[in-house]
Amino acid sequence: MTPIPPDPLPARGMPAVTLVMDPHDDAAHTHTALAAHHPPSGRITLHPGPGTTSDTTLAHDLLAALGRPPLLPGRFPPGRQPAWEAATAWATALPVKRLTVLRAHRLTTRRTERLLQLGAMTDLHLTLICHRPYLPAALHKALSTADHTVITGLAAARRHYGAPLGPLRPPADGPASSGRWLTLPALDRLVSYDSPAPCTVRCTPPLIAWNRRPPPPVLTPGTAQEAAGRLLAATAHPRLAAALAVVLFTGASFQQLATACPDDYDEAAATLALHDRTLYTDGCAAHPVPGWASVFLRAAACFALLAPGQDQQLLAASGDRPQLLRLAEAARMRPSQPPAANRKGPAGGIVWDWLEQREAARYDAMLEWRARPRPRQ
């Protein structure tokens, strides 16, 4: 099937905010705006629900419209989920060009300003639909200082929304319809016992040479697409999603993921630097970033800038490992598993350290062999 090209951006010079007036609350306006929702074309329609009673719940609605789960896992130091930061990061990383918001007359001044700030930060075109014959005071106040145009009439609104494409359906073999596990050898070292140390000064390492260990198997295009789709559907947390994506093309351990800071991702060069100044594994090295993983790193880099209180790591903080393993299992991705006869844990459970256990057993056997007394010649 020929992919649908993204919607063209608004004409140069056109204000980035459009107000659509629907004075009679015509259902056709709502249906037309919802039918125009098509993320691959860069068009998102946000329909705040009756339970949207705070800034945070509006951000959750936005995450859902972007195709992300509305809640972020983990604990956050300020005691508040950085939902707006996550939504902004995904809107920046994904090819979103238009955001249409229904029931805009119900928005408070604060929430309208949040949406205006989102549009300004992500360079997307914001359309607010007011289903009333006049502007409520809150919406009027928020728009009083924003350059915007006004559209009246369903025909003009329909032209503005773009061609109706209808709701998306997941492919028959996509992550939404497949419960099978993806066994990925790149995950074998995620819970490795290695201890690479981060650099204390600015470090610009060369491309990795894989002198100390073999590179992880390169994902086939089909597997990479499925893994990316599963990650996008499994979490709204940009950092956790990026961390697991990075493991799939680097084979890095959790400890090495924690060495990356925002400056280590070079979007122009499509490289990511991971550090190991003690040469425990491969030393400090830059890894080429495959195209399918770039959206995750862009989102993580944006999230790190917007939420500086969430540590300074790009991919993983010290307490993120349980959340990262839960994310992998939620996305039905696992490392190589031991044969059924060798399993020691509960049936059906994922063994994350099987490779480490096997290598430790071989090392112990080697030490035992060396310690055996040798017959005299």
Side-chain angles (χ1 to χ4, degrees):
M1 184 175 66
T2 303
I4 301 173
D7 252 13
L9 290 173
R12 189 174 298 277
M14 180 179 179
V17 180
T18 299
L19 175 66
V20 176
M21 298 300 297
D22 173 22
H24 305 296
D25 197 4
D26 188 350
H29 270 278
T30 300
H31 294 162
T32 303
L34 290 174
H37 175 82
H38 196 263
S41 300
R43 303 202 303 254
I44 302 295
T45 299
L46 171 61
H47 195 183
T52 304
T53 57
S54 68
D55 293 1
T56 301
T57 52
L58 181 61
H60 290 164
D61 287 345
L62 179 56
L63 285 169
L66 289 166
R68 309 282 77 76
L71 297 178
L72 274 71
R75 297 179 179 179
F76 305 100
R80 177 190 66 85
Q81 282 196 351
W84 274 105
E85 292 83 352
T88 303
W90 287 117
T92 301
L94 295 168
V96 178
K97 299 302 180 185
R98 294 175 179 262
L99 173 61
T100 300
V101 183
L102 289 157
R103 324 310 294 176
H105 59 275
R106 292 180 177 175
L107 297 173
T108 63
T109 302
R110 166 74 174 168
R111 290 169 211 164
T112 307
E113 289 174 345
R114 281 278 202 178
L115 291 170
L116 293 172
Q117 292 169 2
L118 175 71
M121 293 180 66
T122 59
D123 198 28
L124 58 79
H125 187 94
L126 178 64
T127 298
L128 302 173
I129 305 177
C130 176
H131 305 270
R132 291 291 184 272
Y134 53 85
L135 283 184
L139 190 56
H140 182 273
K141 179 180 179 181
L143 291 176
S144 61
T145 57
D147 189 16
H148 64 279
T149 56
V150 180
I151 290 178
T152 58
L154 179 59
R158 183 176 284 117
R159 289 192 297 270
H160 173 72
Y161 300 147
L165 298 170
L168 287 177
R169 293 184 179 180
D173 58 347
S177 60
S178 175
R180 69 182 182 89
W181 284 95
L182 281 180
T183 300
L184 302 168
L187 296 173
D188 287 349
R189 296 183 61 255
L190 179 57
V191 295
S192 173
Y193 307 143
D194 62 16
S195 302
C199 291
T200 55
V201 296
R202 175 71 175 172
C203 173
T204 307
L207 285 175
I208 188 165
W210 303 108
N211 292 324
R212 294 173 178 263
R213 61 186 173 100
V218 178
L219 300 182
T220 65
T223 302
Q225 182 180 6
E226 182 167 4
R230 291 185 182 204
L231 282 177
L232 289 172
T235 186
H237 201 308
R239 189 171 68 196
L240 292 179
L244 199 52
V246 166
V247 176
L248 297 185
F249 67 85
T250 64
S253 67
F254 175 81
Q255 290 88 336
Q256 195 165 26
L257 293 177
T259 67
C261 65
D263 289 341
D264 288 321
Y265 174 50
D266 188 336
E267 184 175 0
T271 59
L272 171 70
L274 298 177
H275 301 277
D276 177 21
R277 61 186 176 87
T278 56
L279 300 178
Y280 197 95
T281 54
D282 299 290
C284 299
H287 296 258
V289 178
W292 67 265
S294 59
V295 63
F296 297 100
L297 283 164
R298 284 199 302 269
C302 181
F303 184 73
L305 294 175
L306 294 174
Q310 310 302 318
D311 302 313
Q312 293 303 310
Q313 286 85 357
L314 174 67
L315 301 173
S318 58
D320 282 344
R321 191 169 86 161
Q323 300 289 347
L324 192 60
L325 298 185
R326 280 196 285 269
L327 170 59
E329 293 185 13
R332 307 287 287 178
M333 293 189 288
R334 65 185 180 184
S336 305
Q337 296 295 289
N342 296 349
R343 280 185 175 272
K344 298 179 181 180
I350 303 302
V351 181
W352 282 98
D353 61 347
W354 177 54
L355 180 65
E356 293 293 321
Q357 293 178 15
R358 186 175 61 178
E359 291 181 352
R362 289 175 177 173
Y363 183 70
D364 291 342
M366 180 187 68
L367 293 180
E368 182 180 352
W369 180 81
R370 288 182 175 179
R372 290 177 182 174
R374 299 289 187 270
R376 294 182 178 179
Q377 299 295 331

